[in-house]
C-alpha cells in the first residue's frame, strides 16, 4: 500500500522533490515573505485517471468501509490499542525523529506529543462504548409513545492533513477521534517534519488494519491532487491561507470539515500583577517548541510601566530556563526549516531588541527574544510569528487593549494576566477567540473536557476527548413511531376542517403543550 | 459601496455595539417576532396561498406552528443554554475555573427557500437571534409574496439594523455572498449548496447546508399497509410533493406493489376527493419551470394513478408510477413534486443495497412491524434523519437535530442545536495568579521532569 503510493515514480517522497523548502508557512502571513512563490497550491489541470496515484487506495478504503468492518466496537478498540502499542514500542524512535525535526527535548516530546496522544487514546478506549450509544432525547407531548434518539454514525472515508510543529500529537489525536468514530482514514502527515513523517509512514501502518487506513505522502501539489477526490470528512491543521484552499476543495464535494488554523494570540498583562510570575508563565509558553505553537502567546499588550517591570523578569525567566547560553541548552528547540528561519530572522529587525536577538543559520537557531518599541504596521505585528520572538505593544488602558484585540482577526487563543478576577473576566467578555486562559498559557488545551478549536480566521469546528468522537460522527436523528394509534394522528390529514384548525389554534394559545399534534 | 454592502456593514456595526449580548434583548426580539406572527397571521396565510396554494390549515400546521414552538422553546431555555457550562477538571486544574462559554458568532446570513418559505427562513433566524447574532435574511424570490411580506413586516417588529431582510434573486444573492459573514445557513439544492460553500471558503465562514436528495421509503411485507399508505400519502403529497423530507420513492416487494397502489389511491381520495384539482387542500407547483420538469419525469412511465397536469394553474395530479426502472430520469433527481414512483426489490438486502448505491438522502423511511427489520435498515444505511413507521415527523421533535449528511447537507439546527450552531463555544480556563511554587516543576531545565503519571 505504501509502496504503491511512494513507488509510483512520481517522486512523492519529500527528499526527492524539488523546491521542497518552498512550501507554504503553516501559519498565516498577510504580507508574504519575500521570495515566496505565488499560489504554490494553485489548481493544476486534473491528471488523467490512470495517472492518479490515490484512486486505488481510496477505492480500497471505501470498499472496506462499505463492508461494515469498522462498525463494531471491538474493531475500533483494536485499532486504538494498536495505536497505543505504536506509541509504547516506538518512544525512542519518535523522540529521535522529533529531535531531528525540531530539536525537541525529551521532556517536550514526552509531555506535548507522546503523553497527550496516549491519554487521548486511553480516554477513547475507556469511553468508546458509551460514546457509541444512541443518545436518547427528551420528547414532546406528541411523541411520548415513540422512541427518539440520536444515532452516531461514522462518515466514511476521512482525510487528516497534519502539520509539522507537533507532528505526533496533531496527527495522532485527530486519528484517535476518526478511528473511534468508526471511519476509514487517510493520513497526510507534513512533509516538513521529515523524520517523523518517515516513522508515521513506515511504522505506524503496521499497528493498524491497513485495509481501513493509509498514509499518503507528498507536498502541496500532491495534496492538491488528493483533495480533488471525494472524502466524507476532512480534518485540517495548518494556516488560514491553506485552510481556505482546503475548504474550497471540500466545497466541490460538499465535504464537511474541521479547520484548526492560527492567528496572533494576544497576551494582555495588567498593571495589577506579579511580574515574575507572569514572566515565568509567558516565557514558558512562548518559547516552548521554539515558539512554533499555534496557541502560544504571540504578543504582549501592557502599559509602559508594566513593560519596565516585565523585561527584567522575562530575562530572569529565560536565563533560569535556558541558561546564559540558550543555544547550548538541550531544552530549546530549533526552527523547522531554512525558509522559516529566514522569515524569523527578518522579524528580528522590527522595533528594538530588548532581550536575545541572536541567531545562527547553521543550526536554524533563534535566541529567545523580546522586542519593544514595535509599530503595529511592522511585519512582526502583521503575521503570526510562530517563533521564539515576543513583541511587547504598549497600551494605556484595558479599554485600549480590548480595542486593539478586537480590531484584528479572532485568534486561536487569548490570554489575560491580572490579580483582579474582574479584569480577567472583562477581557474574556469583551473579546472572542477559539479558547481563553486567564493567568496562564495554553493550559486550556490540556483538558480533554474542553473543546479545542478556533473561530473566524482561526478555524471552525473543534476536537479533543469526546468532541473528537462527535466531530468525526454524523449525528443522525431517529424517531421510531408507534405503528398504530392512528386516531391520534388523524387530525393532520386532509380534508381540513375549520374545527381542526380551531382546535389547533386553541392549543397554540394555551402554549402548554406541543402543538405539532402529529 | 452597494446597498447590500451597506446593509451588512450596518448590521455588523450594530452587533459590535454589543446590543445583542444581554439575554433580555434577545428575548425581547423573539417576543416581538412572535407578536409579528400573531398580528400578521392573515397576511402570512395570504402569502402562502398566493405562492403555493396553501390553505389556512397548511399555513398554521406546516409552517407557523414550527416557528412559534421554536420561539417558545428558545425563550424558555435561553438562560440555561447561554450560561457557562462547567466541565470536568483534571488533577492539575482542580483549583481553576474550567468551563465552556457560549458567544455569538457575529453576523449570520440565512438564505431561505421557497417550499416552506415562512418556516425555513424564520426558524433559523430564531436560533441565530437567540444566540446573540445580527442576522441578515434573504428569503427566496420564487416565493415572491412571502419574500415581500417578510421584507415589509420584519423591520416593523425587529431591530432594523441588526435584522435586515434582503430581497432579490440570483444577482442579489451573489452580491450578498461577497460579504463576510460569521456563519451562513442555506436551505436549497445541492448545486447551489456547493456555490455557497465555495463563497464561504474565501472568508473561512462556517456553513450549515440544508440540502436535499431522494428520500427512500421502504415498505416491508410485514406491516399494516392501510396505515402505512395513509401516512406515506400524507407526507408525499403535502405541498404537492414539494417537501425536502417528503418520501421521494417507495421500495417494496413486487407482491405488495398492487396493494400499495390501491391503498395510496384510497387515501388520496379520502384526502383530496376524486379530483384533487378541486380540493382546497391540494397545493400547486411553485412555477412553470418546475411544473415542466416534474411533468417531464412522468414521460414513458407506467402510470397507475394520476399522470395529468394543467400548466395554466401549475396543477399536477397526485401520481403513482409502478415498475419503475432505476435508470429512468424520475429516479435520477429529487422529484420535488406529487409523483410517487414504486420500485420493486426482491429482498430487504436488495433494498438496502439500492439505497446505499446512491447519495445519502436527507431522510429515510422504513415501514415494518418487525423491529429487527427497522433496526437493520437504520444500521445498514445512512441519511440525515430517519422516521420508522411514519414520515416527516422526526423534524418536529425539538431535541432532534435537523440536517443532512453527504450530498444532503452538513450541520444541523432546530432547538438547542440551533443555539449551538449559531454560537461559538469558547473553552475557558481561569486560574488565580498565585505564586509559581506549585507550577515550578513544569519549567526547564527539564532533567527531573520525567515523572510518569
Amino acid at each position: 500500500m505504501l509502496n504503491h503510493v511512494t513507488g509510483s515514480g512520481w517522486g512523492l517522497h519529500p527528499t526527492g522533490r524539488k523546491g521542497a523548502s518552498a512550501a507554504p508557512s503553516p501559519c498565516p502571513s498577510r504580507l508574504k515573505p519575500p521570495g515566496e512563490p505565488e499560489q504554490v497550491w494553485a489548481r493544476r489541470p486534473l491528471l488523467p485517471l490512470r495517472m492518479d496515484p490515490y484512486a486505488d487506495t481510496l477505492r480500497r478504503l471505501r470498499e472496506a468501509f462499505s463492508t461494515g468492518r469498522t462498525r463494531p466496537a471491538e474493531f475500533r478498540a483494536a485499532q486504538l490499542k494498536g495505536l497505543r502499542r505504536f506509541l509504547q514500542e516506538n518512544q525512542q524512535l519518535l523522540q529521535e525523529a522529533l529531535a531531528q525535526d525540531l530539536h525537541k527535548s525529551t521532556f517536550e516530546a514526552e509531555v506535548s506529543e507522546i503523553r497527550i496522544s496516549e491519554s487521548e487514546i486511553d480516554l477513547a478506549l475507556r469511553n468508546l462504548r458509551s460514546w457509541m450509544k444512541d443518545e436518547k432525547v427528551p420528547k414532546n407531548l406528541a411523541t411520548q409513545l415513540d422512541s427518539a434518539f440520536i444515532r452516531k454514525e461514522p462518515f466514511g472515508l476521512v482525510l487528516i492533513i497534519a502539520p509539522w510543529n507537533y507532528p505526533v500529537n496533531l496527527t495522532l489525536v485527530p486519528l484517535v477521534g476518526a478511528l473511534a468514530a468508526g471511519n476509514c482514514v487517510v493520513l497526510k502527515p507534513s512533509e516538513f517534519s521529515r523524520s517523523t513523517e518517515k516513522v508515521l509512514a513506515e511504522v505506524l501502518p503496521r499497528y493498524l488494519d491497513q485495509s481501513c487506513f493509509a498514509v499518503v505522502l507528498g507536498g502541496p501539489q500532491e495534496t492538491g491532487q488528493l483533495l480533488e477526490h471525494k472524502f466524507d470528512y476532512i480534518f485540517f491543521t495548518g494556516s488560514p491561507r491553506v485552510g481556505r484552499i482546503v475548504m474550497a476543495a471540500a466545497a466541490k464535494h460538499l465535504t464537511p470539515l474541521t479547520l484548526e488554523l492560527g492567528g496572533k494570540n494576544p497576551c494582555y498583562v495588567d498593571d495589577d500583577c506579579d511580574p515574575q510570575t507572569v514572566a515565568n508563565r509567558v516565557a514558558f509558553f512562548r518559547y516552548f517548541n521554539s515558539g512554533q505553537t499555534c496557541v502560544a502567546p504571540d504578543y504582549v499588550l501592557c502599559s509602559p510601566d508594566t513593560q519596565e517591570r516585565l523585561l527584567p523578569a522575562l530575562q530572569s525567566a529565560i536565563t533560569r530556563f535556558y541558561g546564559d547560553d540558550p543555544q547550548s541548552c538541550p531544552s530549546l528547540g530549533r526552527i523547522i526549516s531554512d525558509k522559516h528561519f529566514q522569515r524569523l530572522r527578518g522579524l528580528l529587525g522590527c522595533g528594538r531588541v530588548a532581550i536575545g536577538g541572536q541567531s545562527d543559520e547553521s543550526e536554524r537557531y533563534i535566541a529567545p527574544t523580546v522586542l519593544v518599541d514595535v509599530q503595529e504596521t511592522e511585519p512582526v505585528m502583521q503575521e503570526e510569528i510562530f517563533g521564539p520572538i515576543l513583541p511587547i505593544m504598549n497600551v494605556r488602558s484595558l479599554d485600549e487593549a480590548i480595542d486593539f484585540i478586537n480590531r484584528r482577526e479572532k485568534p486561536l487563543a487569548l490570554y489575560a494576566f491580572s490579580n483582579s478576577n474582574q479584569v480577567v473576566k472583562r477581557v474574556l467578555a469583551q473579546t472572542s477567540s477559539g479558547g481563553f486562559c486567564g493567568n496562564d498559557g495554553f493550559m486550556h488545551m490540556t483538558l480533554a473536557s474542553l473543546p479545542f478549536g478556533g473561530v473566524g480566521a482561526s478555524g471552525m469546528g473543534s476536537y479533543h476527548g469526546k468532541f473528537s468522537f462527535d466531530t468525526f460522527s454524523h449525528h443522525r436523528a431517529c424517531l421510531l413511531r408507534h405503528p398504530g394509534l392512528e386516531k391520534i394522528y388523524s387530525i393532520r390529514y386532509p380534508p381540513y376542517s375549520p374545527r381542526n384548525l380551531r382546535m389547533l389554534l386553541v392549543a397554540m394559545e394555551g402554549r402548554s403543550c406541543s402543538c405539532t399534534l402529529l | 459601496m452597494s446597498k447590500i454592502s451597506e446593509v451588512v456593514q450596518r448590521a455588523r456595526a450594530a452587533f459590535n455595539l454589543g446590543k445583542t449580548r444581554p439575554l433580555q434583548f434577545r428575548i425581547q426580539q423573539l417576543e416581538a417576532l412572535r407578536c409579528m406572527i400573531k398580528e400578521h397571521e392573515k397576511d402570512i396565510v395570504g402569502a402562502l396561498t398566493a405562492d403555493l396554494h396553501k390553505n389556512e390549515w397548511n399555513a398554521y400546521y406546516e409552517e407557523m406552528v414550527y416557528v412559534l414552538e421554536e420561539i417558545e422553546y428558545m425563550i424558555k431555555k435561553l438562560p440555561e443554554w447561554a450560561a457557562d457550562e462547567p466541565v470536568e477538571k483534571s488533577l492539575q486544574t482542580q483549583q481553576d475555573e474550567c468551563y465552556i462559554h457560549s458567544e455569538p458568532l457575529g453576523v449570520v446570513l440565512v438564505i431561505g427557500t421557497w417550499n416552506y418559505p415562512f418556516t425555513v427562513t424564520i426558524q433559523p433566524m430564531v436560533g441565530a437571534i437567540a444566540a446573540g447574532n445580527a442576522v441578515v435574511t434573504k428569503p427566496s424570490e420564487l416565493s415572491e409574496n412571502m419574500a415581500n411580506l417578510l421584507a415589509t413586516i420584519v423591520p416593523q417588529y425587529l431591530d432594523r439594523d441588526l435584522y435586515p431582510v434582503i430581497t432579490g434573486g440570483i444577482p442579489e444573492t451573489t452580491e450578498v455572498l461577497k460579504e463576510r459573514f460569521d456563519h451562513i445557513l442555506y436551505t436549497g439544492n445541492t448545486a447551489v449548496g456547493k456555490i455557497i460553500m465555495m463563497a464561504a471558503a474565501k472568508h473561512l465562514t462556517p456553513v450549515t447546508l440544508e440540502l436535499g436528495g431522494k428520500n427512500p421509503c421502504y415498505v416491508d411485507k410485514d406491516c399494516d399497509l392501510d396505515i402505512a399508505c395513509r401516512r406515506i400519502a400524507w407526507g408525499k403529497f403535502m405541498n404537492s410533493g414539494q417537501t425536502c423530507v417528503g418520501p421521494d420513492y417507495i421500495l417494496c416487494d413486487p407482491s405488495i406493489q398492487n396493494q400499495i397502489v390501491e391503498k395510496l389511491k384510497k387515501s388520496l381520495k379520502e384526502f383530496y376527493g376524486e379530483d384533487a384539482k378541486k380540493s382546497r387542500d391540494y397545493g400547486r407547483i411553485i412555477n412553470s419551470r418546475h411544473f415542466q420538469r416534474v411533468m417531464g419525469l412522468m414521460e414513458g412511465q407506467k402510470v397507475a394513478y394520476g399522470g395529468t397536469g394543467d400548466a395554466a394553474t401549475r396543477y399536477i395530479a397526485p401520481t403513482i408510477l409502478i415498475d419503475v426502472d432505476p435508470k429512468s430520469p424520475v429516479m435520477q433527481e429529487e422529484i420535488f413534486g406529487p409523483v410517487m414512483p414504486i420500485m420493486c426489490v426482491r429482498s430487504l438486502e436488495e433494498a438496502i443495497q439500492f439505497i446505499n448505491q446512491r447519495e445519502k438522502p436527507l431522510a429515510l423511511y422504513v415501514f415494518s412491524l418487525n423491529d429487527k427489520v427497522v433496526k437493520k435498515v437504520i444500521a445498514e444505511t445512512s441519511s440525515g434523519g430517519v422516521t420508522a413507521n411514519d414520515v416527516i415527523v422526526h423534524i418536529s421533535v425539538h431535541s432532534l437535530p435537523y440536517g443532512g449528511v453527504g450530498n444532503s447537507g452538513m450541520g444541523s439546527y432546530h432547538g438547542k442545536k440551533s443555539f449551538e450552531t449559531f454560537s461559538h463555544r469558547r473553552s475557558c480556563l481561569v486560574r488565580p495568579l498565585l505564586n509559581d511554587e506549585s507550577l515550578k516543576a513544569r519549567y526547564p531545565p527539564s532533567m527531573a521532569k520525567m515523572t510518569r503519571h
Side-chain angles (χ1 to χ4, degrees), chain A residues 298-424:
Chain A
D298 186 278
Y299 64 96
V300 165
L301 284 166
C302 67
S303 67
D305 279 343
T306 297
Q307 178 180 299
E308 285 317 303
R309 296 185 297 143
L310 263 182
L311 283 173
L314 282 166
Q315 178 67 79
S316 158
I318 289 169
T319 307
R320 237 178 313 118
F321 295 169
Y322 308 113
D324 291 311
D325 178 23
Q327 191 168 0
S328 61
C329 174
S331 301
L332 195 56
R334 295 292 183 268
I335 306 307
I336 183 72
S337 68
D338 294 325
K339 185 179 96 105
H340 278 289
F341 173 82
Q342 298 299 343
R343 179 182 67 80
L344 288 165
R345 195 156 70 170
L347 297 182
L348 291 170
C350 298
R352 176 172 63 82
V353 173
I355 298 174
Q358 300 87 357
S359 62
D360 180 345
E361 189 164 351
S362 66
E363 285 190 25
R364 295 199 297 274
Y365 162 78
I366 296 201
T369 299
V370 177
L371 300 175
V372 296
D373 302 337
V374 173
Q375 298 303 312
E376 210 179 322
T377 47
E378 294 185 81
V380 78
M381 284 308 293
Q382 294 298 314
E383 58 181 80
E384 183 172 354
I385 295 167
F386 228 67
I389 299 170
L390 182 71
I392 301 182
M393 303 284 304
N394 290 142
V395 285
R396 285 156 305 184
S397 66
L398 179 55
D399 281 331
E400 200 182 311
I402 290 173
D403 279 338
F404 187 95
I405 291 169
N406 288 339
R407 276 206 305 272
R408 308 165 99 71
E409 293 295 346
K410 293 174 189 176
L412 187 54
L414 204 150
Y415 303 104
F417 287 83
S418 176
N419 284 327
S420 157
N421 195 258
Q422 237 181 342
V423 167
V424 170

Side-chain angles (χ1 to χ4, degrees), chain A residues 71 91 106-107 110 115 137-138 140 143 149-151 153 155 230 240 243-244 247-248 250-252 254-257 259 261 273 277-278 280-281 284-285 320-322 331 409-410 414 417-419 421 424-425 428-429 431-440 443-444 447 449-451 454-457 460 467 474-484 486 489 491-496 500-501 504-505 508-509 511 513-518, chain B residues 21 34 38 55-58 60-62 65-66 68-69 72 87-90 92-93 97-101 103 105 180 182 190 193-194 197-198 200-207 209 211 227 230-231 234 270-272 281 359-360 364 369 374 378-379 381-390 393-394 396-397 399-401 404-407 410 424-436 439 442-446 449-453:
Chain A
R71 303 298 193 118
Q91 281 231 22
T106 317
F107 172 67
E110 179 63 21
R115 217 186 280 175
V137 298
N140 53 23
T143 48
F149 57 91
I150 299 172
R151 161 76 48 97
E153 304 181 339
F155 279 107
K230 177 175 176 165
R244 285 186 184 87
M247 189 169 172
K252 295 201 179 76
L254 285 172
T255 301
L257 72 178
L259 300 174
L261 310 176
C273 73
T277 307
V278 173
N280 292 346
R281 296 177 188 193
F284 175 61
F285 288 100
R320 237 178 313 118
F321 295 169
Y322 308 113
S331 301
E409 293 295 346
K410 293 174 189 176
L414 204 150
F417 287 83
S418 176
N419 284 327
N421 195 258
V424 170
K425 291 293 166 68
L428 172 60
T431 59
S432 189
S433 62
F436 176 89
C437 190
N439 293 323
D440 210 352
M443 281 306 291
H444 60 289
L447 213 54
S449 51
L450 285 174
V455 65
M460 57 180 79
F467 302 102
H474 165 51
H475 297 220
R476 190 180 190 190
C478 298
L479 183 68
L480 306 187
R481 182 133 259 201
H482 199 287
E486 190 63 347
Y489 309 131
I491 188 176
R492 66 188 185 183
Y493 300 128
Y496 305 135
N500 284 353
L501 183 60
L504 179 67
L505 293 176
M508 276 162 64
E509 269 317 299
R511 297 212 300 250
C513 72
S514 162
C515 302
T516 39
L517 294 166
L518 300 165
Chain B
R21 301 304 187 114
R34 184 168 57 200
K38 298 240 152 112
N55 64 24
E56 280 181 307
W57 172 265
N58 303 133
Y60 283 105
Y61 191 70
E62 292 160 19
V65 130
Y66 279 88
L68 288 169
E69 288 202 340
E72 202 58 46
V87 299
E88 199 184 313
K89 300 194 252 201
S90 62
Q92 292 87 1
T93 50
E97 294 173 58
C98 307
Y99 55 92
I100 300 172
H101 174 72
E103 309 178 337
L105 289 166
R180 182 177 183 182
D182 301 295
T190 302
K194 290 180 182 171
M197 193 170 169
M198 287 287 290
K202 294 198 178 74
H203 297 293
L204 286 171
T205 300
V207 296
L209 302 175
L211 309 176
I227 293 181
R230 188 177 306 119
R231 295 180 181 184
W234 167 73
E270 276 170 21
F271 295 164
Y272 307 116
D281 303 311
E359 295 296 344
K360 295 174 188 177
L364 191 149
L369 293 170
V374 169
I378 297 179
T381 61
S382 189
S383 63
V386 181
T387 298
N389 291 318
D390 207 339
V393 292
H394 60 284
S396 73
V397 182
S399 46
L400 284 176
V405 65
N407 267 25
M410 59 180 75
H424 169 51
R425 300 184 76 216
R426 188 179 189 191
S427 291
C428 299
L429 196 156
V430 181
R431 13 181 61 162
L433 191 57
L434 300 173
N435 70 47
D436 254 355
L439 295 173
R442 66 184 183 182
Y443 298 137
S446 54
K449 304 305 177 304
M450 308 307 294
T451 44
R452 296 247 146 240
H453 62 122

Side-chain angles (χ1 to χ4, degrees), chain B residues 34-323:
Chain B
R34 184 168 57 200
C35 246
M36 179 191 91
I37 298 171
K38 298 240 152 112
E39 290 173 10
H40 288 272
E41 271 170 3
K42 297 223 165 0
D43 296 322
I44 294 170
V45 174
L48 291 170
T49 308
D51 286 328
L52 288 146
H53 200 258
K54 292 195 193 203
N55 64 24
E56 280 181 307
W57 172 265
N58 303 133
Y60 283 105
Y61 191 70
E62 292 160 19
E63 300 237 29
M64 286 190 267
V65 130
Y66 279 88
V67 177
L68 288 169
E69 288 202 340
E70 184 87 333
I71 293 175
E72 202 58 46
Y73 194 51
M74 225 35 103
I75 291 177
K76 183 164 138 208
K77 293 290 202 174
L78 189 55
E80 183 191 317
W81 294 344
D84 289 338
E85 188 189 318
V87 299
E88 199 184 313
K89 300 194 252 201
S90 62
L91 269 168
Q92 292 87 1
T93 50
Q94 281 304 314
Q95 305 305 320
D96 307 325
E97 294 173 58
C98 307
Y99 55 92
I100 300 172
H101 174 72
S102 285
E103 309 178 337
L105 289 166
V107 183
V108 168
L109 173 64
V110 173
I111 301 178
T113 190
W114 53 261
N115 61 340
Y116 291 83
F118 185 72
T119 312
V120 303
T121 311
I122 304 295
Q123 196 166 358
M125 221 185 142
V126 170
I129 293 174
N133 301 285
V135 189
V136 176
T137 306
K138 163 71 189 67
S140 168
E141 70 279 16
L142 294 188
S143 42
E144 210 184 325
N145 294 282
M146 182 55 73
N148 291 334
L149 178 64
L150 291 176
T152 309
I153 60 177
V154 168
Q156 289 170 3
Y157 290 80
L158 299 187
D159 184 302
R160 282 166 199 219
D161 291 330
L162 287 166
Y163 312 112
V165 176
I166 294 180
T167 51
I170 294 176
E172 286 75 13
T173 309
T174 309
E175 194 65 37
V176 82
L177 283 170
K178 291 193 186 128
E179 300 296 316
R180 182 177 183 182
F181 292 96
D182 301 295
H183 194 100
I184 298 175
L185 187 145
Y186 165 75
T187 308
N189 68 56
T190 302
V192 177
K194 290 180 182 171
I195 296 172
I196 306 264
M197 193 170 169
M198 287 287 290
K202 294 198 178 74
H203 297 293
L204 286 171
T205 300
V207 296
T208 298
L209 302 175
E210 299 276 334
L211 309 176
K214 291 184 76 59
N215 306 321
C217 183
Y218 174 72
V219 182
D220 195 35
K221 280 191 279 191
D222 178 11
C223 81
D224 182 331
L225 282 178
D226 281 304
I227 293 181
C229 292
R230 188 177 306 119
R231 295 180 181 184
I232 293 170
W234 167 73
K236 171 77 195 186
F237 296 97
M238 166 193 298
N239 201 23
S240 207
Q242 299 162 112
T243 306
C244 314
V245 285
D248 186 276
Y249 64 97
I250 289 175
L251 287 164
C252 69
D253 188 276
S255 65
I256 54 171
Q257 186 181 224
N258 286 341
Q259 283 183 72
I260 289 177
V261 170
E262 289 315 306
K263 290 176 195 294
L264 284 173
K265 275 159 75 169
K266 177 162 169 284
S267 292
L268 285 169
K269 288 178 188 163
E270 276 170 21
F271 295 164
Y272 307 116
E274 287 295 332
D275 181 8
K277 195 164 184 214
K278 300 202 176 84
S279 165
R280 265 199 69 216
D281 303 311
Y282 191 71
R284 295 292 181 269
I285 305 301
I286 185 70
N287 63 18
S288 308
R289 181 170 72 84
H290 279 287
F291 173 86
Q292 300 299 343
R293 180 186 64 80
V294 178
M295 290 300 293
L297 295 177
M298 296 195 256
E299 272 168 40
Q301 297 295 336
K302 221 161 158 195
V303 176
Y305 187 67
T308 58
D310 170 36
T313 53
R314 297 194 305 275
Y315 161 81
I316 298 183
T319 299
I320 304 171
L321 306 176
I322 53 173
D323 298 334

Side-chain angles (χ1 to χ4, degrees), chain A residues 23-27 97-98 101-102 104 113 161-171 188-197 200 237-239 289-294 334-337 339-341 343-344 385-387:
Chain A
S25 120
C27 289
L98 291 165
D101 286 333
L102 289 144
K104 223 174 263 235
E113 300 257 29
I161 302 176
W164 50 260
N165 58 336
Y166 291 84
V168 174
N169 174 348
L170 298 179
T171 308
K188 162 68 189 80
S190 171
E191 68 276 22
F192 294 103
S193 39
R194 289 176 194 181
S195 304
T196 311
E197 185 201 34
L200 293 171
T237 308
S239 74
N289 199 26
S290 205
Q292 297 163 113
T293 307
C294 295
R334 295 292 183 268
I335 306 307
I336 183 72
S337 68
K339 185 179 96 105
H340 278 289
F341 173 82
R343 179 182 67 80
L344 288 165
I385 295 167
F386 228 67

